[in-house]
């Protein structure tokens, strides 16, 4: 028997680009049979996003492993019929079209529920299935901006900055849907009744923007950018440039850690500048900027080694790959792809007892498993050939 916790569960994945595929990546890594369904045209744009002509984009390879792939034209009646036949065998359907598209295609929640009442049907969109913005186009930056995050991100007295991490796509469009799907799936196993899971990526950010909410509740307004406890106001929670242009992160929020930092730096006079003591952080920020600029990052790492006070190097991903903690936890893995060759990827962020993560299959080629999957629902070779000739697959 498989040790994978989602073994035996089938997921039909109609999503593309980043949010939905990351969600189903986690489900696939946990053992679900994820079937990536692409149209018969361009398919998932992530296949070529930022890649050289004729190559597969690394992001596509990273977020579509352990899935099977098929091509299906849902604008044709036979394509819809095949999808509904597949849905009869599935536990989850996940889509990320604009609201209303799947209903017009004939593969929306009501159509699928009619053939499979226990289905968990998850819809990921920028603003949700209801409300005045429901049909608006958008991307991660737009969703973070509406959720109050972008305005809070950046230096004091500076402009908002765009992080190279898609918070709405990943938090709102991958982690939150996975949470909703698993909750609904658990309930469906108990009751035999599925659920519709409506996920707005904007809300995935909004509902986790708790520091800004705290300021709003306590002060009646959010604080200016860079002026909150965790956004650069304090000396004890800040980033400082070393002499080689790299940086050190000081996360000494607790008094005991800050006191240790001051002792290591030979500046016990800065201890009263800590927020818990009600001190002014500005003199300490300037002092630490000057001090950290006198040595390289590597030198500071050595100086703080053995001092448990939340001071760490700011690593780029090259250095993170070689970091002993990540290596010990096996967080970077390599696999072989028939077209792309040796591929570097992240391991899953979960470590479950009695479960060993493995890459059973690389990211699928466009329509790679179409024949295999159609055979599983009873299509013989003659019908598959006819479907292909008609452009349905």
């Amino acid at each position: 028997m498989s040790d994978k916790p989602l073994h035996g569960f089938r997921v039909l994945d109609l999503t593309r680009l980043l949010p939905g595929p990351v969600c189903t990546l986690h489900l696939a890594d946990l053992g679900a049979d994820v079937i990536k369904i692409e149209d018969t045209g361009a398919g998932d744009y992530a296949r070529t996003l930022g890649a050289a002509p004729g190559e597969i984009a690394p992001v596509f390879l990273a977020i579509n492993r352990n899935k099977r792939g098929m091509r299906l034209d849902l604008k044709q009646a036979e394509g819809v019929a095949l999808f509904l036949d597949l849905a009869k065998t599935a536990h989850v359907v996940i889509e990320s079209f604009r609201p209303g598209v799947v209903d017009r295609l004939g593969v929306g929640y009501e159509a699928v529920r009619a053939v499979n009442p226990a289905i968990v049907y998850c819809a990921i969109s920028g603003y949700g299935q209801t409300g005045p913005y429901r049909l608006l186009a958008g991307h991660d930056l737009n969703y973070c901006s509406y959720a109050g995050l972008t305005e809070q991100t950046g230096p004091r007295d500076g402009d908002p900055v765009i992080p190279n991490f898609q918070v709405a796509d990943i938090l709102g469009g991958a982690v939150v849907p996975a949470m909703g799907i698993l909750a609904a799936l658990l309930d469906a196993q108990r009751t035999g009744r599925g659920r519709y899971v409506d996920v707005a990526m904007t809300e995935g950010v909004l509902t986790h923007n708790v520091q800004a909410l705290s300021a709003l509740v306590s002060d009646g307004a959010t604080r200016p950018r860079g002026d909150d406890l965790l956004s650069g106001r304090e000396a004890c929670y800040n980033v400082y440039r070393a002499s080689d242009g790299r940086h050190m992160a000081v996360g000494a929020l607790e008094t005991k850690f800050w006191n240790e930092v001051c002792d290591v730096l030979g500046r016990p006079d800065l201890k009263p500048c800590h927020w818990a003591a009600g001190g002014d952080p500005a003199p300490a920020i300037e002092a630490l900027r000057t001090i950290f600029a006198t040595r390289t990052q590597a030198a500071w790492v050595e100086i703080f080694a053995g001092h448990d006070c939340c001071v760490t190097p700011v690593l780029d991903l090259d250095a993170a790959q070689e970091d002993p903690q990540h290596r010990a936890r096996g967080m970077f893995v390599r696999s072989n792809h028939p077209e792309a060759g040796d591929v570097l990827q992240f391991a899953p962020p979960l470590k479950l007892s009695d479960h060993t993560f493995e890459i059973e299959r690389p990211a699928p080629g466009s329509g790679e498993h179409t024949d295999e999957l159609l055979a599983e629902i009873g299509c013989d070779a003659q019908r598959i050939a006819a479907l292909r000739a008609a452009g349905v697959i």
Side-chain angles (χ1 to χ4, degrees):
M1 183 175 178
S2 174
D3 66 353
K4 298 176 174 60
L6 294 182
H7 175 73
F9 291 95
R10 173 170 285 186
V11 178
L12 304 186
D13 181 5
L14 292 170
T15 68
R16 58 183 63 170
L17 293 174
L18 191 63
V22 172
C23 175
T24 57
L25 167 71
H26 294 315
L27 302 180
D29 284 348
L30 290 170
D33 177 21
V34 174
I35 300 171
K36 183 177 183 64
I37 301 176
E38 300 175 72
D39 61 61
T40 54
D44 187 346
Y45 315 136
R47 284 187 178 275
T48 56
L49 190 64
E55 294 186 357
I56 305 174
V59 67
F60 182 87
L61 298 172
I63 65 177
N64 286 290
R65 67 180 180 225
N66 286 336
K67 304 175 186 180
R68 294 195 284 174
M70 72 178 298
R71 297 187 347 144
L72 196 59
D73 185 357
L74 294 176
K75 294 181 180 179
Q76 295 196 46
E78 281 192 284
V80 172
L82 288 171
F83 180 85
L84 293 177
D85 284 341
L86 282 167
K88 294 174 185 177
T89 72
H91 301 84
V92 177
V93 172
I94 178 170
E95 62 95 358
S96 59
F97 296 105
R98 290 202 206 190
V101 170
V102 287
D103 291 322
R104 291 195 296 272
L105 290 172
V107 295
Y109 176 53
E110 294 301 330
V112 174
R113 184 170 66 164
V115 301
N116 185 350
I119 199 72
V120 172
Y121 197 109
C122 180
I124 303 170
S125 63
Y127 303 106
Q129 301 297 306
T130 59
Y133 299 164
R134 60 188 289 271
L135 297 179
L136 292 182
H139 284 293
D140 184 87
L141 178 60
N142 308 114
Y143 310 143
C144 289
S145 297
Y146 268 121
L149 179 64
T150 303
E151 191 277 334
Q152 290 280 298
T153 306
R156 183 182 302 182
D157 300 324
D159 295 325
V161 299
I162 306 173
N164 188 26
F165 183 92
Q166 291 69 49
V167 179
D169 285 353
I170 301 301
L171 174 60
V175 177
V176 171
M179 177 177 68
I181 287 169
L182 292 175
L185 195 58
L186 176 63
D187 185 57
Q189 295 303 297
R190 293 185 301 198
T191 66
R193 183 187 70 251
R195 290 178 185 266
Y196 185 73
V197 182
D198 173 7
V199 177
M201 287 183 274
T202 302
E203 294 165 3
V205 179
L206 178 68
T207 193
H208 291 94
N209 196 4
V210 293
Q211 287 298 324
L213 177 65
S214 176
L216 179 62
V217 171
S218 60
D219 300 343
T222 53
R223 296 192 178 96
R225 184 167 42 258
D227 195 37
D228 212 331
L229 176 65
L230 302 180
S231 64
R233 183 189 73 197
E234 300 294 332
C236 65
Y237 201 83
N238 224 309
V239 175
Y240 299 96
R241 181 187 291 267
S243 64
D244 56 355
R246 296 185 179 276
H247 296 81
M248 295 294 290
V250 176
L253 279 174
E254 293 81 0
T255 302
K256 62 179 181 179
F257 294 142
W258 174 245
N259 288 344
E260 179 78 1
V261 170
C262 293
D263 288 338
V264 171
L265 297 178
R267 291 295 304 270
D269 59 302
L270 298 177
K271 292 179 181 181
C273 294
H274 192 262
W275 68 273
D280 181 5
I285 290 174
E286 290 305 313
L288 265 62
R289 284 175 178 167
T290 300
I291 294 170
F292 276 107
T294 63
R295 290 179 171 85
T296 65
Q297 183 190 73
W300 285 117
V301 169
E302 185 175 349
I303 288 170
F304 277 94
H307 296 277
D308 188 21
C309 54
C310 306
V311 177
T312 58
V314 176
L315 302 181
D316 59 22
L317 200 58
D318 292 339
Q321 181 184 346
E322 301 302 324
D323 184 80
Q325 177 66 21
H326 296 320
R327 291 176 69 88
R329 301 272 293 176
M331 287 309 300
F332 290 84
V333 295
R334 290 189 175 276
S335 66
N336 184 63
H337 189 277
E339 295 181 48
D342 184 52
V343 178
L344 177 67
Q345 301 178 26
F346 295 120
L350 298 171
K351 302 290 189 289
L352 277 68
S353 62
D354 301 320
H355 167 61
T356 303
F357 162 71
E358 59 182 322
I359 300 177
E360 292 188 339
R361 54 171 61 95
S366 179
E368 178 180 344
H369 303 96
T370 299
D371 292 11
E372 173 185 308
L373 288 161
L374 292 179
E376 289 179 8
I377 58 172
C379 294
D380 58 23
Q382 184 176 359
R383 187 182 180 202
I384 291 173
L387 290 167
R388 183 163 283 112
V392 177
I393 57 175

